[in-house]
């Protein structure tokens, strides 16, 4: 069905599309070949970021030891640095943000059967394989996220439970927030809201965890010091990969007692790495040299968002006022085009595309049936933005023309 629709839209014979309709968005690029003058731009995720030459150099020169024994000097330096930057006592280097979040949930929950409150669009809920339940024996309870990534605190309080009076209830052991918020389009949590939720949870003695996979994007955008943002958080996960460009790793940050318990649990999750200073060195470099440049990614994403917005399309649009960091959500009219179809069209280079001065194949992700996600990272440069904007303008115009043709036929 998709091939027929695309063939009609592009004016390309169905046989030229071959097995295109059988591919998914992750494998389709392997089935397409491009002329040498086609620029391939990848905006699928900032997880595709690559370490630069200087980062690779410090990795090569890193001093190492056995980190499970606490004897890797570079890892120790990274953990001290991360904790100090956020104004906390200690940190733990782990392979991934998913592991850091799971460790936080398990460490704060002193027994199986606890309940953790999260936003209904949170990464912990949607994208971490239900690890809290699968491994930690923890139940997640949701509060609807607002467009800015926050949630209603009164509703959150209504979801909090205690099993002291009623033995058939689970106990709320933790509340989690996400900053910046991935599914809300890279939104920065308002600092006033962070202070409110922090004060409220301290009053009722429930800890607060921040999933800060893109924490430093929030720091750069808001201009608020890292220590101030997480002042009321009992634990924080910060990713050193993604926009910061390290090849692997996250830091779980909190009190000395919390990190001691988390380190014990890290071992059973398979997170005890040995001579891990090789990648910890990349983390140190990332914190020293890759934070300030995140503004370039924000500006890059905004330029693309503005170009889409300026077209005034009724089919493909963005919320320009909500565009804050490196994640751009593109909204589609499902009656005309699906997210998967739009992503595939951006990958195709037609004969008309080849007539352009800088033809491009652009990789983005279908986020929902009607939303496409585009994420900028340190791999992307000004030339990528320029060719992507031209490609988007061309493709959006095609869909606008389709809408006009459909309307014309319906009224004639």
């Amino acid at each position: 069905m998709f091939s027929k629709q695309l063939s009609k839209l592009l004016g390309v014979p169905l046989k030229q599309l071959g097995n295109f309709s059988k591919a998914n968005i992750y494998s389709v690029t392997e089935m397409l070949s491009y002329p040498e003058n086609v620029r391939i731009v990848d905006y699928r995720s900032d997880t595709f970021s690559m370490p630069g030459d200087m980062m690779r150099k410090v990795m090569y020169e890193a001093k190492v030891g056995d980190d499970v024994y606490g004897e890797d000097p570079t890892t120790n330096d990274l953990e001290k640095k991360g904790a100090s930057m956020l104004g906390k006592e200690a940190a733990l280097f782990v392979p991934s943000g998913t592991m850091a979040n799971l460790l936080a949930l398990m460490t704060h929950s002193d027994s199986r059967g606890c309940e953790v409150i999260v936003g209904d669009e949170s990464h912990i809920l949607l994208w971490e394989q239900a690890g809290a339940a699968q491994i930690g024996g923890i139940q997640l309870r949701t509060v609807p996220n607002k467009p800015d990534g926050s949630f209603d605190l009164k509703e959150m309080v209504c979801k909090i439970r205690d099993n002291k009076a009623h033995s058939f209830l689970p106990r709320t052991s933790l509340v989690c927030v996400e900053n910046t918020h991935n599914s809300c389009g890279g939104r920065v949590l308002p600092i006033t809201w962070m202070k409110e939720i922090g004060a409220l949870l301290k009053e009722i003695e429930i800890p607060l965890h921040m999933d800060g996979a893109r924490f430093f994007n929030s720091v750069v955008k808001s201009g608020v010091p890292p220590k101030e943002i997480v002042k009321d958080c009992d634990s924080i996960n910060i990713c050193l990969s993604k926009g910061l460009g390290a090849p692997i790793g996250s830091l779980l940050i909190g009190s000395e007692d919390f990190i001691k318990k988390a380190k014990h649990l890290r071992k059973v999750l398979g997170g005890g790495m040995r001579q891990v200073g090789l990648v910890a060195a990349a983390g140190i470099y990332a914190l020293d040299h890759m934070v300030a440049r995140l503004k370039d990614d924000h500006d890059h994403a905004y330029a693309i968002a503005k170009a889409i917005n300026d077209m005034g399309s009724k089919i493909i649009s963005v919320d320009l006022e909500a565009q804050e960091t490196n994640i751009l959500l593109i909204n589609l009219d499902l009656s005309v085009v699906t997210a998967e179809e739009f992503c595939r069209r951006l990958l195709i280079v037609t004969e008309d595309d080849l007539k352009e001065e800088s033809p491009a194949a652009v990789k983005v992700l279908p986020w929902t049936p009607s939303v496409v996600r585009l994420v900028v990272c340190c791999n992307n440069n000004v030339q990528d933005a320029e060719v992507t904007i031209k490609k988007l303008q061309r493709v959006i115009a095609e869909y606008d023309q389709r809408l006009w043709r459909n309307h014309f036929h319906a009224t004639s």
Side-chain angles (χ1 to χ4, degrees):
M1 180 65 177
F2 166 75
S3 294
K4 293 179 180 178
Q5 292 174 343
L6 194 60
S7 176
K8 183 177 180 181
L9 171 66
L10 302 178
V12 178
L14 190 62
K15 62 182 180 181
Q16 288 185 221
L17 294 174
N19 292 323
F20 190 70
S21 62
K22 298 179 182 178
N24 62 48
I25 197 64
Y26 298 101
S27 65
V28 70
T29 51
E30 299 171 5
M31 302 178 65
L32 297 175
S33 59
Y34 303 101
E36 291 184 1
N37 65 325
V38 172
R39 189 181 188 93
I40 301 174
V41 186
D42 199 336
Y43 291 116
R44 286 173 293 172
S45 177
D46 43 8
T47 59
F48 285 90
S49 62
M50 297 289 186
D53 292 341
M54 287 304 299
M55 184 178 284
R56 293 169 187 262
K57 184 175 185 294
V58 299
M59 292 173 68
Y60 177 78
E61 296 174 350
K63 296 179 180 179
V64 299
D66 192 323
D67 180 54
V68 173
Y69 283 81
E71 295 180 7
D72 188 295
T74 306
T75 302
N76 292 340
D77 288 346
L78 170 64
E79 292 172 343
K80 290 175 185 176
K81 185 179 191 66
S84 176
M85 289 178 74
L86 272 62
K88 303 298 181 182
E89 294 176 350
L92 183 68
F93 188 44
V94 298
S96 70
T98 295
M99 182 179 286
N101 284 334
L102 180 57
L103 282 171
L105 269 61
M106 293 175 66
T107 304
H108 285 298
S109 303
D110 57 5
S111 64
R112 295 178 68 84
C114 286
E115 188 168 74
V116 171
I117 293 177
V118 298
D120 68 339
E121 293 289 340
S122 67
H123 195 279
I124 289 173
L125 176 72
L126 299 178
W127 299 102
E128 299 184 8
Q129 283 197 11
Q134 183 181 174
I135 300 171
I138 299 164
Q139 177 169 285
L140 299 180
R141 196 172 196 198
T142 62
V143 181
N145 279 114
K146 295 180 179 180
D148 66 358
S150 67
F151 43 76
D152 186 272
L153 297 183
K154 291 181 180 179
E155 187 164 356
M156 178 199 76
V157 170
C158 291
K159 296 290 180 77
I160 291 172
R161 301 199 276 186
D162 195 326
N163 58 9
K164 291 180 180 179
H166 302 286
S167 61
F168 47 81
L169 294 178
R171 178 179 65 85
T172 302
S173 57
L174 181 68
V175 174
C176 299
V177 297
E178 185 175 333
N179 193 21
T180 62
H181 201 290
N182 183 10
S183 290
C184 291
R187 297 298 298 273
V188 178
L189 292 181
I191 189 65
T192 53
W193 184 80
M194 283 300 306
K195 291 179 179 179
E196 288 174 10
I197 191 174
L200 178 58
L201 290 174
K202 275 184 170 48
E203 183 179 342
I204 56 181
E205 298 183 337
I206 292 178
L208 175 63
H209 172 69
M210 178 180 287
D211 175 5
R214 297 176 177 88
F215 173 73
F216 286 102
N217 291 89
S218 74
V219 172
V220 170
K221 178 60 182 179
S222 68
V224 179
K227 294 178 183 180
E228 184 66 20
I229 295 175
V230 301
K231 181 180 178 181
D232 296 313
C233 294
D234 298 277
S235 58
I236 310 99
N237 153 40
I238 61 170
C239 284
L240 302 167
S241 55
K242 297 188 172 70
L244 297 186
I248 187 175
S250 292
L251 285 173
L252 179 61
I253 300 172
S255 68
E256 286 187 9
D257 183 59
F258 171 82
I259 292 301
K260 182 179 179 180
K261 294 176 182 176
K263 187 172 184 178
H264 179 75
L265 290 171
R266 182 185 68 171
K267 182 67 176 174
V268 76
L269 294 183
M273 302 176 286
R274 300 294 179 174
Q275 286 70 32
V276 73
L278 293 172
V279 286
I284 293 174
Y285 184 91
L287 293 175
D288 285 340
H289 301 284
M290 299 296 287
V291 173
R293 65 150 306 280
L294 291 173
K295 184 179 185 302
D296 296 340
D297 297 343
H298 301 173
D299 293 344
H300 188 134
Y302 186 85
I304 296 173
K306 187 176 185 305
I308 296 172
N309 188 71
D310 287 349
M311 291 195 72
S313 172
K314 297 183 182 299
I315 302 169
I316 297 158
S317 62
V318 299
D319 185 349
L320 193 60
E321 291 184 1
Q323 185 57 42
E324 294 182 333
T325 58
N326 66 320
I327 299 176
L328 169 60
L329 298 182
I330 304 172
N331 305 302
L332 311 174
D333 181 345
L334 268 178
S335 68
V336 181
V337 58
T338 67
E340 186 172 353
E341 179 185 352
F342 187 70
C343 291
R344 291 172 186 267
R345 173 61 188 95
L346 289 174
L347 279 172
I348 291 176
V349 179
T350 66
E351 290 184 6
D352 286 339
D353 290 335
L354 288 172
K355 295 175 184 176
E356 296 290 321
E357 183 179 347
S358 301
V362 180
K363 301 179 185 180
V364 289
L365 278 183
W367 195 241
T368 72
S370 63
V371 177
V372 167
R373 191 189 74 164
L374 180 154
V375 187
V376 181
C377 71
C378 56
N379 298 352
N380 306 121
N381 56 33
V382 174
Q383 289 72 36
D384 290 336
E386 290 174 350
V387 299
T388 296
I389 287 171
K390 290 179 180 178
K391 180 68 176 262
L392 281 165
Q393 288 171 335
R394 185 174 185 82
V395 171
I396 292 171
E398 289 175 359
Y399 286 111
D400 284 344
Q401 289 169 12
R402 176 199 281 191
L403 180 65
W404 181 86
R405 287 196 303 267
N406 291 345
H407 177 74
F408 176 79
H409 291 308
T411 56
S412 61

